[in-house]
Amino acid sequence: QVQLVESGGGLVQAGDSLRLSCVASGRTFSSYVMGWFRQAPGKEREFVAAINWSSGSTSYGDSVKGRFTISRDNIKNTVYLQMNSLKPEDTAVYYCCRKSGIISTRREAYNYWGQGTQVTVSS
């Protein structure tokens, strides 16, 4: 089993930055992907970013390209989401997730999910 615990959410103003963290523990695989999704009230869960743990290759949703950066720390088993130039439309619960194999932008492809952390951006 894999456990994912997010932290770092909060209330910020438009234009501010925030960094989310997700610590993974439990079972590991030779090749896996860590991702971030977000869900605003009344909306579908949306792909934000993902990183291949072994190669470091990344993928981003169109709405966050150029503003958000995903990275990982292999020693700490932690994935980060650096969010810059935040906008009110970035307000959502942010979820960390994990899957085996290659990067996917589909929510259904991910097997393990954290509990989520709230990010609120005021205008």
Side-chain angles (χ1 to χ4, degrees), residues 33-83:
V33 169
M34 295 292 293
W36 289 95
F37 282 70
R38 67 186 183 186
Q39 189 165 19
K43 294 189 176 181
E44 295 287 320
R45 195 166 294 191
E46 173 191 21
F47 173 75
V48 175
I51 185 166
N52 183 294
W53 200 260
S54 56
S55 71
S57 62
T58 59
S59 178
Y60 294 92
D62 288 341
S63 61
V64 306
K65 281 180 183 176
R67 300 188 298 123
F68 291 12
T69 303
I70 189 171
S71 62
R72 90 275 197 214
D73 184 324
N74 293 26
I75 302 300
K76 296 181 178 180
N77 283 333
T78 300
V79 63
Y80 303 100
L81 184 68
Q82 178 66 43
M83 306 185 293

Side-chain angles (χ1 to χ4, degrees), residues 3 12 15 21 23 26 28 46 49 51 55 62-64 71-72 80 86 88 96 105 113 119:
Q3 292 80 42
V12 296
S21 302
V23 180
T28 60
E46 173 191 21
I51 185 166
S55 71
D62 288 341
S63 61
V64 306
S71 62
R72 90 275 197 214
Y80 303 100
L86 282 162
C96 174
T105 61
W113 292 84
V119 172

Side-chain angles (χ1 to χ4, degrees), residues 7-8 21 54 66 85 89 92 94 97 107 109:
S7 62
S21 302
S54 56
S85 302
E89 50 264 44
Y94 284 71
C97 53
R107 169 187 177 180

